[in-house]
Amino acid sequence: MSDESRPSPAGPPSAPAQAPVAAVIPAAGRGVRLGPGAPKALRALNGTPMLIHAVHSLAASRHVSLVVVVAPADGPTEVKSLLDAHALPERTDFVVVPGGESRQESVALGLAAVPPEYGVVLVHDAARPLVPVDTVDAVIEAVRDGAPAVVPALPLADTVKEVEPATEPGAPEPVVATPERARLRAVQTPQGFDRATLVRAHETVTEDVTDDASMVEQLGLPVVTVPGHEEAFKVTRPLDLVLAEAVLARRRLNDGY
Ligand code: CTP
Ligand code: MG
């Protein structure tokens, strides 16, 4: 018996150590917080659409052999031609599907397009275009090692307060608690999953969630963190575009061109 046929460590359902990896990239949001303009994923960063940067970042991992892009509902044709227009690794297959009303719905539509032989599924926001490949690979490795759900996470710089949200914007809000900062983490994407677990989570959890791993938590299964990365930040508000372009400029300098 070769080492590769060893079963994964004991525990909840786990993907085989060499399971093929698919990445689902939800890109169907409008980007309301970024202000008026094209859908966020199609906005340019240093001349290239954010979505293309995100696809490159995931396809940079030699483990990722399928990328499913979840396009704005009216945008799959445009997204397909964008993918055709940019050089992408030949070892990777690409599929484009139309998205839904919520991020959760968009992820479910993308997941439905992943064939069953992909034992590991990553879900990655198009709005995190600059995630380093080492972060992607760390998530994949942890899922292949037997974790049903893995999230990249960073400690917080700010202290966080829980408040009683005001009904009018800008009105003072009573603080109800201050969680201990050292125990808090900000989580990023790609989040990685044993495929069967993520499918079951989407079938079971119907309430709104803001990340995929929380659905797995609701199934009562363990979710673990791996170190996240500053450059995996989410482009949300206009200042984030400035930061993203600065990161790209620094990479160019460091690459020695
Ligand atoms: N997303 C999606 N389908 C939706 C909503 C969001 O695929 N119906 C995607 C976005 O395209 C983005 C990711 O989910 O890549 C994270 O969402 P977020 O950063 O909130 O992006 P938007 O929803 O586009 O931004 P906003 O909330 O400011 O409108
Ligand atoms: Mg949103």
Side-chain angles (χ1 to χ4, degrees):
M1 187 164 116
S2 77
D3 267 358
E4 282 178 16
S5 59
R6 257 184 318 157
S8 308
S14 60
Q18 297 305 322
V21 181
V24 172
I25 304 190
R30 296 265 353 135
V32 172
R33 288 169 289 178
L34 206 51
K40 180 160 76 177
L42 304 182
R43 303 267 193 116
L45 288 178
N46 280 10
T48 302
M50 203 179 306
L51 170 64
I52 296 297
H53 287 285
V55 168
H56 269 293
S57 299
L58 272 283
S61 167
R62 61 189 175 83
H63 304 290
V64 173
S65 46
L66 172 68
V67 173
V68 177
V69 176
V70 187
D74 56 357
T77 313
E78 184 180 354
V79 166
K80 271 181 205 148
S81 43
L82 273 179
L83 291 173
D84 287 341
H86 290 85
L88 296 163
E90 282 189 10
R91 59 166 186 265
T92 317
D93 289 331
F94 296 92
V95 173
V96 181
V97 298
E101 285 297 309
S102 66
R103 181 185 181 282
Q104 206 168 343
E105 215 181 300
S106 293
V107 171
L109 290 163
L111 184 57
V114 176
E117 63 267 26
Y118 290 88
V120 176
V121 176
L122 306 181
V123 180
H124 180 66
D125 294 328
R128 297 181 190 272
L130 305 180
V131 60
V133 69
D134 288 353
T135 307
V136 178
D137 283 339
V139 170
I140 294 170
E141 192 182 338
V143 181
R144 283 181 164 176
D145 280 351
V150 177
V151 296
L154 287 178
L156 298 186
D158 295 328
T159 294
V160 172
K161 302 283 184 196
E162 182 184 346
V163 299
E164 194 53 56
T167 42
E168 284 167 52
E173 298 174 319
V175 170
V176 297
T178 305
E180 187 188 340
R181 189 177 66 190
R183 292 179 60 85
L184 298 178
R185 300 288 179 268
V187 304
Q188 305 177 319
T189 72
Q191 299 191 349
F193 304 89
D194 160 66
R195 179 185 190 275
T197 301
L198 186 59
V199 169
R200 187 151 71 85
H202 272 274
E203 285 166 357
T204 314
V205 178
T206 48
E207 75 206 47
D208 284 353
V209 293
T210 53
D211 81 335
D212 302 279
S214 63
M215 305 172 85
V216 174
E217 290 164 50
Q218 288 195 41
L219 296 181
L221 293 172
V223 175
V224 297
T225 68
V226 293
H229 197 286
E230 274 188 312
E231 293 182 3
F233 68 93
K234 189 164 74 162
V235 174
T236 306
R237 297 180 189 86
L239 193 59
D240 299 323
L241 290 172
V242 178
L243 180 59
E245 293 201 326
V247 170
L248 285 169
R250 185 178 67 179
R251 283 186 187 175
R252 254 179 222 176
L253 273 180
N254 290 348
D255 286 348
Y257 291 103

